[in-house]
């Protein structure tokens, strides 16, 4: 897979060069931020390995590495909510990826909400011994995960 | 610091409960996605430890953990490009954070661009032995990093 990537041999080329030189972490993964190309809404945060990145570039559909299932994961394969990739960007030091995707009126979140980021953390002084309450910003689920996923493993790990 | 957080003792509470139960990784970090609250533009991808998260919540300015400098980092302390936090969200399994921030007409990227994600990866079939060329989507720097950072360490690592 390394033939696709320029070796990370100097910082100037990584930051301002014209070749892709992604940095995969000690587990071979790179974090991925996925937004809705129409609204800019943040949909999810995930990971790719080199094979998932290659498949995403070539097929224009989002593939991730599932850390809970330990396999390459074609997003939407079970739910039908395929992410059509409109653009992929890489950041300054090439250690994270941004996918801008089209999911139409579909969803991104396995819990049933459109975005995985459906809860907000209140700002301001935290009192001693206070557990922080979070506020739901999406209140209606867009689908019923029990019907869609049936016996699939829940990817959330404690 | 743990008093602020509910223990992650069941998946239902993590996904649909009303208390913050963030998951920090084996290095004590949680990934953070930062977008511009006006445009939705993705500005950067970083990390926080528990102290940086607490300081961000309390001060309403973004603090991160710098993996290259190994310290808490008040974003904008050197450059002046402070990130005023408008909203913080947490995702379904509470292992990543979304900051929506106001940077006015400032910048996010130490290389000098507004967003760290200033280069795009072309989509489509990859030829054998082909290095992937990336395309600059921001062509003008918004500031001169040499003037702003002087002798500061470049955070990019190979």
């Amino acid at each position: 897979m390394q033939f696709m990537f320029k070796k990370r041999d100097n910082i100037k080329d990584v930051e301002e060069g014209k070749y892709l030189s992604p940095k995969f972490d000690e587990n071979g993964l790179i974090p991925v931020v996925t937004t809705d190309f129409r609204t800019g809404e943040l949909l999810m945060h995930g990971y790719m390995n080199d094979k998932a990145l290659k498949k995403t570039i070539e097929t224009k559909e989002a593939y991730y590495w599932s850390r809970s299932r330990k396999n390459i994961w074609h997003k939407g394969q079970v739910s039908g909510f395929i992410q059509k990739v409109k653009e992929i960007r890489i950041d300054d030091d090439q250690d994270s990826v941004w996918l801008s995707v089209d999911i139409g009126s579909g969803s991104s979140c396995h819990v049933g909400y459109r975005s995985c980021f459906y809860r907000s953390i209140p700002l301001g002084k935290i009192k001693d011994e206070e557990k922080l309450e979070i506020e739901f910003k999406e209140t209606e689920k867009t689908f019923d995960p029990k019907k869609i996923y049936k016996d699939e493993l829940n990817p959330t790990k404690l």
Side-chain angles (χ1 to χ4, degrees), chain A:
Chain A
M1 202 63 67
Q2 290 309 313
F3 72 84
M4 290 163 51
F5 308 131
K6 182 179 182 303
K7 193 159 175 264
R8 292 170 67 88
D9 48 16
N10 74 81
I11 287 173
K12 174 85 183 159
D13 280 358
V14 168
E15 289 183 345
E16 311 222 46
K18 66 173 190 175
Y19 289 110
L20 189 62
S21 305
K23 184 173 192 167
F24 296 95
D25 68 13
E26 61 280 11
N27 300 311
L29 303 180
I30 192 167
V32 181
V33 175
T34 305
T35 63
D36 182 295
F37 92 106
R38 280 193 191 84
T39 62
E41 183 184 9
L42 180 59
L43 295 174
M44 58 177 279
H45 179 281
Y47 295 86
M48 288 178 176
N49 63 359
D50 53 359
K51 289 199 183 74
L53 177 58
K54 182 167 191 261
K55 277 193 83 80
T56 302
I57 291 170
E58 293 203 311
T59 65
K60 303 178 196 178
E61 293 186 350
Y63 286 78
Y64 299 91
W65 177 260
S66 167
R67 294 176 307 162
S68 51
R69 291 184 295 257
K70 301 194 189 343
N71 58 16
I72 287 190
W73 156 46
H74 185 195
K75 175 76 180 166
Q77 197 169 25
V78 175
S79 66
F81 300 132
I82 298 288
Q83 296 179 339
K84 292 185 186 152
V85 176
K86 307 301 278 189
E87 187 173 16
I88 311 182
R89 292 203 187 186
I90 190 99
D91 74 340
D92 42 19
D93 55 354
Q94 302 207 31
D95 70 353
S96 60
V97 169
W98 173 17
L99 292 191
S100 181
V101 302
D102 183 0
I103 58 167
S105 59
S107 283
S108 161
C109 174
H110 74 279
V111 179
Y113 299 100
R114 179 166 166 89
S115 162
C116 295
F117 293 83
Y118 48 84
R119 289 168 299 180
S120 180
I121 303 173
L123 301 174
K125 182 74 189 154
I126 297 167
K127 296 189 206 89
D128 282 354
E129 307 302 321
E130 175 190 43
K131 297 257 176 287
L132 285 180
E133 280 196 37
I134 46 186
E135 184 189 346
F136 279 72
K137 292 292 179 172
E138 288 190 42
T139 50
E140 297 277 329
K141 291 196 183 183
T142 54
F143 68 95
D144 180 351
K146 283 198 197 87
K147 281 189 192 151
I148 297 276
Y149 293 116
K150 299 188 181 81
D151 298 327
E152 294 279 322
L153 181 76
N154 184 325
T156 295
K157 298 284 165 227
L158 291 178

PDB file of all heavy atoms in Angstrom, chain A residues 81-104:
ATOM      1  N   PHE A  81     -27.381   3.330   4.916  1.00  0.00           N
ATOM      2  CA  PHE A  81     -26.973   4.734   4.898  1.00  0.00           C
ATOM      3  C   PHE A  81     -25.517   4.871   4.424  1.00  0.00           C
ATOM      4  O   PHE A  81     -24.618   5.227   5.173  1.00  0.00           O
ATOM      5  CB  PHE A  81     -27.143   5.366   6.283  1.00  0.00           C
ATOM      6  CG  PHE A  81     -28.559   5.334   6.804  1.00  0.00           C
ATOM      7  CD1 PHE A  81     -28.832   4.896   8.095  1.00  0.00           C
ATOM      8  CD2 PHE A  81     -29.621   5.743   6.009  1.00  0.00           C
ATOM      9  CE1 PHE A  81     -30.136   4.870   8.580  1.00  0.00           C
ATOM     10  CE2 PHE A  81     -30.932   5.719   6.483  1.00  0.00           C
ATOM     11  CZ  PHE A  81     -31.194   5.278   7.776  1.00  0.00           C
ATOM     12  N   ILE A  82     -25.329   4.564   3.142  1.00  0.00           N
ATOM     13  CA  ILE A  82     -24.026   4.708   2.490  1.00  0.00           C
ATOM     14  C   ILE A  82     -23.633   6.189   2.479  1.00  0.00           C
ATOM     15  O   ILE A  82     -24.490   7.053   2.323  1.00  0.00           O
ATOM     16  CB  ILE A  82     -24.139   4.186   1.025  1.00  0.00           C
ATOM     17  CG1 ILE A  82     -24.499   2.688   1.002  1.00  0.00           C
ATOM     18  CG2 ILE A  82     -22.879   4.491   0.216  1.00  0.00           C
ATOM     19  CD1 ILE A  82     -23.403   1.764   1.425  1.00  0.00           C
ATOM     20  N   GLN A  83     -22.341   6.449   2.666  1.00  0.00           N
ATOM     21  CA  GLN A  83     -21.849   7.830   2.590  1.00  0.00           C
ATOM     22  C   GLN A  83     -21.149   8.025   1.247  1.00  0.00           C
ATOM     23  O   GLN A  83     -20.073   7.464   1.014  1.00  0.00           O
ATOM     24  CB  GLN A  83     -20.869   8.108   3.736  1.00  0.00           C
ATOM     25  CG  GLN A  83     -21.528   8.012   5.101  1.00  0.00           C
ATOM     26  CD  GLN A  83     -20.555   8.272   6.258  1.00  0.00           C
ATOM     27  OE1 GLN A  83     -19.346   8.153   6.100  1.00  0.00           O
ATOM     28  NE2 GLN A  83     -21.097   8.622   7.407  1.00  0.00           N
ATOM     29  N   LYS A  84     -21.755   8.826   0.374  1.00  0.00           N
ATOM     30  CA  LYS A  84     -21.122   9.134  -0.913  1.00  0.00           C
ATOM     31  C   LYS A  84     -20.139  10.277  -0.725  1.00  0.00           C
ATOM     32  O   LYS A  84     -20.525  11.373  -0.292  1.00  0.00           O
ATOM     33  CB  LYS A  84     -22.182   9.513  -1.940  1.00  0.00           C
ATOM     34  CG  LYS A  84     -23.048   8.313  -2.300  1.00  0.00           C
ATOM     35  CD  LYS A  84     -24.035   8.640  -3.407  1.00  0.00           C
ATOM     36  CE  LYS A  84     -24.959   7.445  -3.619  1.00  0.00           C
ATOM     37  NZ  LYS A  84     -26.287   7.845  -4.129  1.00  0.00           N
ATOM     38  N   VAL A  85     -18.891  10.018  -1.055  1.00  0.00           N
ATOM     39  CA  VAL A  85     -17.834  10.974  -0.740  1.00  0.00           C
ATOM     40  C   VAL A  85     -17.752  12.056  -1.813  1.00  0.00           C
ATOM     41  O   VAL A  85     -17.559  11.760  -2.993  1.00  0.00           O
ATOM     42  CB  VAL A  85     -16.486  10.247  -0.608  1.00  0.00           C
ATOM     43  CG1 VAL A  85     -15.362  11.249  -0.373  1.00  0.00           C
ATOM     44  CG2 VAL A  85     -16.546   9.232   0.529  1.00  0.00           C
ATOM     45  N   LYS A  86     -17.912  13.305  -1.381  1.00  0.00           N
ATOM     46  CA  LYS A  86     -17.822  14.436  -2.304  1.00  0.00           C
ATOM     47  C   LYS A  86     -16.404  14.996  -2.333  1.00  0.00           C
ATOM     48  O   LYS A  86     -15.943  15.477  -3.352  1.00  0.00           O
ATOM     49  CB  LYS A  86     -18.793  15.549  -1.881  1.00  0.00           C
ATOM     50  CG  LYS A  86     -20.233  15.094  -1.685  1.00  0.00           C
ATOM     51  CD  LYS A  86     -20.826  14.478  -2.917  1.00  0.00           C
ATOM     52  CE  LYS A  86     -21.322  15.531  -3.876  1.00  0.00           C
ATOM     53  NZ  LYS A  86     -22.104  14.879  -4.984  1.00  0.00           N
ATOM     54  N   GLU A  87     -15.731  14.978  -1.179  1.00  0.00           N
ATOM     55  CA  GLU A  87     -14.356  15.487  -1.138  1.00  0.00           C
ATOM     56  C   GLU A  87     -13.630  14.853   0.049  1.00  0.00           C
ATOM     57  O   GLU A  87     -14.246  14.535   1.073  1.00  0.00           O
ATOM     58  CB  GLU A  87     -14.355  17.021  -0.993  1.00  0.00           C
ATOM     59  CG  GLU A  87     -12.946  17.590  -1.109  1.00  0.00           C
ATOM     60  CD  GLU A  87     -12.865  19.124  -1.144  1.00  0.00           C
ATOM     61  OE1 GLU A  87     -13.851  19.799  -0.790  1.00  0.00           O
ATOM     62  OE2 GLU A  87     -11.793  19.629  -1.523  1.00  0.00           O
ATOM     63  N   ILE A  88     -12.320  14.640  -0.129  1.00  0.00           N
ATOM     64  CA  ILE A  88     -11.464  14.213   0.976  1.00  0.00           C
ATOM     65  C   ILE A  88     -10.356  15.238   1.119  1.00  0.00           C
ATOM     66  O   ILE A  88      -9.719  15.607   0.126  1.00  0.00           O
ATOM     67  CB  ILE A  88     -10.793  12.840   0.719  1.00  0.00           C
ATOM     68  CG1 ILE A  88     -11.815  11.796   0.251  1.00  0.00           C
ATOM     69  CG2 ILE A  88     -10.062  12.357   1.958  1.00  0.00           C
ATOM     70  CD1 ILE A  88     -11.199  10.408   0.027  1.00  0.00           C
ATOM     71  N   ARG A  89     -10.142  15.685   2.346  1.00  0.00           N
ATOM     72  CA  ARG A  89      -9.002  16.579   2.590  1.00  0.00           C
ATOM     73  C   ARG A  89      -8.089  15.989   3.654  1.00  0.00           C
ATOM     74  O   ARG A  89      -8.503  15.157   4.450  1.00  0.00           O
ATOM     75  CB  ARG A  89      -9.490  17.959   3.023  1.00  0.00           C
ATOM     76  CG  ARG A  89     -10.199  18.705   1.897  1.00  0.00           C
ATOM     77  CD  ARG A  89     -10.169  20.180   2.157  1.00  0.00           C
ATOM     78  NE  ARG A  89     -10.956  20.932   1.203  1.00  0.00           N
ATOM     79  CZ  ARG A  89     -10.979  22.258   1.166  1.00  0.00           C
ATOM     80  NH1 ARG A  89     -10.268  22.971   2.032  1.00  0.00           N
ATOM     81  NH2 ARG A  89     -11.704  22.883   0.280  1.00  0.00           N
ATOM     82  N   ILE A  90      -6.850  16.459   3.643  1.00  0.00           N
ATOM     83  CA  ILE A  90      -5.847  16.023   4.623  1.00  0.00           C
ATOM     84  C   ILE A  90      -5.318  17.270   5.330  1.00  0.00           C
ATOM     85  O   ILE A  90      -5.303  18.346   4.735  1.00  0.00           O
ATOM     86  CB  ILE A  90      -4.722  15.223   3.918  1.00  0.00           C
ATOM     87  CG1 ILE A  90      -3.774  14.542   4.898  1.00  0.00           C
ATOM     88  CG2 ILE A  90      -3.923  16.094   2.955  1.00  0.00           C
ATOM     89  CD1 ILE A  90      -4.044  13.104   5.146  1.00  0.00           C
ATOM     90  N   ASP A  91      -4.917  17.120   6.585  1.00  0.00           N
ATOM     91  CA  ASP A  91      -4.505  18.325   7.324  1.00  0.00           C
ATOM     92  C   ASP A  91      -3.006  18.599   7.197  1.00  0.00           C
ATOM     93  O   ASP A  91      -2.280  17.877   6.505  1.00  0.00           O
ATOM     94  CB  ASP A  91      -4.986  18.280   8.771  1.00  0.00           C
ATOM     95  CG  ASP A  91      -4.195  17.327   9.623  1.00  0.00           C
ATOM     96  OD1 ASP A  91      -3.541  16.424   9.077  1.00  0.00           O
ATOM     97  OD2 ASP A  91      -4.225  17.479  10.861  1.00  0.00           O
ATOM     98  N   ASP A  92      -2.583  19.683   7.845  1.00  0.00           N
ATOM     99  CA  ASP A  92      -1.218  20.215   7.679  1.00  0.00           C
ATOM    100  C   ASP A  92      -0.135  19.158   7.902  1.00  0.00           C
ATOM    101  O   ASP A  92       0.760  18.983   7.079  1.00  0.00           O
ATOM    102  CB  ASP A  92      -0.992  21.443   8.576  1.00  0.00           C
ATOM    103  CG  ASP A  92      -1.558  21.297   9.981  1.00  0.00           C
ATOM    104  OD1 ASP A  92      -1.805  20.148  10.413  1.00  0.00           O
ATOM    105  OD2 ASP A  92      -1.739  22.326  10.650  1.00  0.00           O
ATOM    106  N   ASP A  93      -0.207  18.436   9.021  1.00  0.00           N
ATOM    107  CA  ASP A  93       0.832  17.430   9.280  1.00  0.00           C
ATOM    108  C   ASP A  93       0.412  16.031   8.798  1.00  0.00           C
ATOM    109  O   ASP A  93       1.093  15.039   9.081  1.00  0.00           O
ATOM    110  CB  ASP A  93       1.267  17.418  10.755  1.00  0.00           C
ATOM    111  CG  ASP A  93       0.107  17.220  11.703  1.00  0.00           C
ATOM    112  OD1 ASP A  93      -1.057  17.196  11.242  1.00  0.00           O
ATOM    113  OD2 ASP A  93       0.356  17.079  12.911  1.00  0.00           O
ATOM    114  N   GLN A  94      -0.702  15.982   8.066  1.00  0.00           N
ATOM    115  CA  GLN A  94      -1.166  14.750   7.400  1.00  0.00           C
ATOM    116  C   GLN A  94      -1.389  13.598   8.380  1.00  0.00           C
ATOM    117  O   GLN A  94      -1.097  12.445   8.077  1.00  0.00           O
ATOM    118  CB  GLN A  94      -0.223  14.343   6.256  1.00  0.00           C
ATOM    119  CG  GLN A  94      -0.075  15.447   5.187  1.00  0.00           C
ATOM    120  CD  GLN A  94       0.274  14.917   3.811  1.00  0.00           C
ATOM    121  OE1 GLN A  94      -0.111  13.802   3.425  1.00  0.00           O
ATOM    122  NE2 GLN A  94       0.972  15.703   3.023  1.00  0.00           N
ATOM    123  N   ASP A  95      -1.961  13.942   9.567  1.00  0.00           N
ATOM    124  CA  ASP A  95      -2.306  12.873  10.504  1.00  0.00           C
ATOM    125  C   ASP A  95      -3.795  12.846  10.827  1.00  0.00           C
ATOM    126  O   ASP A  95      -4.212  12.239  11.804  1.00  0.00           O
ATOM    127  CB  ASP A  95      -1.452  12.940  11.779  1.00  0.00           C
ATOM    128  CG  ASP A  95      -1.790  14.141  12.646  1.00  0.00           C
ATOM    129  OD1 ASP A  95      -2.589  14.997  12.212  1.00  0.00           O
ATOM    130  OD2 ASP A  95      -1.249  14.211  13.761  1.00  0.00           O
ATOM    131  N   SER A  96      -4.605  13.526   9.992  1.00  0.00           N
ATOM    132  CA  SER A  96      -6.058  13.338  10.089  1.00  0.00           C
ATOM    133  C   SER A  96      -6.700  13.674   8.742  1.00  0.00           C
ATOM    134  O   SER A  96      -6.122  14.422   7.940  1.00  0.00           O
ATOM    135  CB  SER A  96      -6.672  14.151  11.225  1.00  0.00           C
ATOM    136  OG  SER A  96      -6.447  15.513  11.042  1.00  0.00           O
ATOM    137  N   VAL A  97      -7.879  13.095   8.527  1.00  0.00           N
ATOM    138  CA  VAL A  97      -8.558  13.148   7.231  1.00  0.00           C
ATOM    139  C   VAL A  97      -9.952  13.731   7.425  1.00  0.00           C
ATOM    140  O   VAL A  97     -10.598  13.481   8.434  1.00  0.00           O
ATOM    141  CB  VAL A  97      -8.669  11.712   6.660  1.00  0.00           C
ATOM    142  CG1 VAL A  97      -9.598  11.652   5.462  1.00  0.00           C
ATOM    143  CG2 VAL A  97      -7.287  11.177   6.273  1.00  0.00           C
ATOM    144  N   TRP A  98     -10.395  14.527   6.456  1.00  0.00           N
ATOM    145  CA  TRP A  98     -11.741  15.091   6.483  1.00  0.00           C
ATOM    146  C   TRP A  98     -12.513  14.568   5.273  1.00  0.00           C
ATOM    147  O   TRP A  98     -12.118  14.786   4.142  1.00  0.00           O
ATOM    148  CB  TRP A  98     -11.667  16.615   6.431  1.00  0.00           C
ATOM    149  CG  TRP A  98     -12.969  17.328   6.280  1.00  0.00           C
ATOM    150  CD1 TRP A  98     -14.227  16.858   6.495  1.00  0.00           C
ATOM    151  CD2 TRP A  98     -13.131  18.695   5.872  1.00  0.00           C
ATOM    152  NE1 TRP A  98     -15.162  17.847   6.253  1.00  0.00           N
ATOM    153  CE2 TRP A  98     -14.517  18.982   5.882  1.00  0.00           C
ATOM    154  CE3 TRP A  98     -12.245  19.712   5.524  1.00  0.00           C
ATOM    155  CZ2 TRP A  98     -15.021  20.240   5.539  1.00  0.00           C
ATOM    156  CZ3 TRP A  98     -12.749  20.971   5.178  1.00  0.00           C
ATOM    157  CH2 TRP A  98     -14.128  21.229   5.193  1.00  0.00           C
ATOM    158  N   LEU A  99     -13.619  13.877   5.537  1.00  0.00           N
ATOM    159  CA  LEU A  99     -14.520  13.432   4.469  1.00  0.00           C
ATOM    160  C   LEU A  99     -15.743  14.332   4.443  1.00  0.00           C
ATOM    161  O   LEU A  99     -16.420  14.502   5.469  1.00  0.00           O
ATOM    162  CB  LEU A  99     -15.067  12.024   4.744  1.00  0.00           C
ATOM    163  CG  LEU A  99     -14.168  10.808   4.713  1.00  0.00           C
ATOM    164  CD1 LEU A  99     -15.038   9.547   4.757  1.00  0.00           C
ATOM    165  CD2 LEU A  99     -13.281  10.813   3.495  1.00  0.00           C
ATOM    166  N   SER A 100     -16.066  14.856   3.296  1.00  0.00           N
ATOM    167  CA  SER A 100     -17.309  15.585   3.116  1.00  0.00           C
ATOM    168  C   SER A 100     -18.220  14.669   2.304  1.00  0.00           C
ATOM    169  O   SER A 100     -17.856  14.261   1.201  1.00  0.00           O
ATOM    170  CB  SER A 100     -16.988  16.891   2.393  1.00  0.00           C
ATOM    171  OG  SER A 100     -18.141  17.643   2.220  1.00  0.00           O
ATOM    172  N   VAL A 101     -19.379  14.318   2.862  1.00  0.00           N
ATOM    173  CA  VAL A 101     -20.175  13.235   2.270  1.00  0.00           C
ATOM    174  C   VAL A 101     -21.637  13.624   2.045  1.00  0.00           C
ATOM    175  O   VAL A 101     -22.166  14.530   2.690  1.00  0.00           O
ATOM    176  CB  VAL A 101     -20.142  11.960   3.163  1.00  0.00           C
ATOM    177  CG1 VAL A 101     -18.707  11.475   3.372  1.00  0.00           C
ATOM    178  CG2 VAL A 101     -20.859  12.168   4.486  1.00  0.00           C
ATOM    179  N   ASP A 102     -22.251  12.888   1.161  1.00  0.00           N
ATOM    180  CA  ASP A 102     -23.693  13.015   0.901  1.00  0.00           C
ATOM    181  C   ASP A 102     -24.391  11.800   1.503  1.00  0.00           C
ATOM    182  O   ASP A 102     -24.121  10.663   1.087  1.00  0.00           O
ATOM    183  CB  ASP A 102     -23.905  13.055  -0.621  1.00  0.00           C
ATOM    184  CG  ASP A 102     -25.364  13.257  -1.007  1.00  0.00           C
ATOM    185  OD1 ASP A 102     -26.222  13.360  -0.099  1.00  0.00           O
ATOM    186  OD2 ASP A 102     -25.637  13.312  -2.218  1.00  0.00           O
ATOM    187  N   ILE A 103     -25.267  12.037   2.501  1.00  0.00           N
ATOM    188  CA  ILE A 103     -26.066  10.929   3.034  1.00  0.00           C
ATOM    189  C   ILE A 103     -27.558  11.195   2.810  1.00  0.00           C
ATOM    190  O   ILE A 103     -28.404  10.538   3.402  1.00  0.00           O
ATOM    191  CB  ILE A 103     -25.798  10.650   4.544  1.00  0.00           C
ATOM    192  CG1 ILE A 103     -26.068  11.881   5.415  1.00  0.00           C
ATOM    193  CG2 ILE A 103     -24.376  10.149   4.751  1.00  0.00           C
ATOM    194  CD1 ILE A 103     -26.111  11.552   6.913  1.00  0.00           C
ATOM    195  N   GLY A 104     -27.828  12.182   1.933  1.00  0.00           N
ATOM    196  CA  GLY A 104     -29.219  12.499   1.635  1.00  0.00           C
ATOM    197  C   GLY A 104     -29.974  12.782   2.919  1.00  0.00           C
ATOM    198  O   GLY A 104     -29.492  13.527   3.776  1.00  0.00           O
TER     199      GLY A 104
END
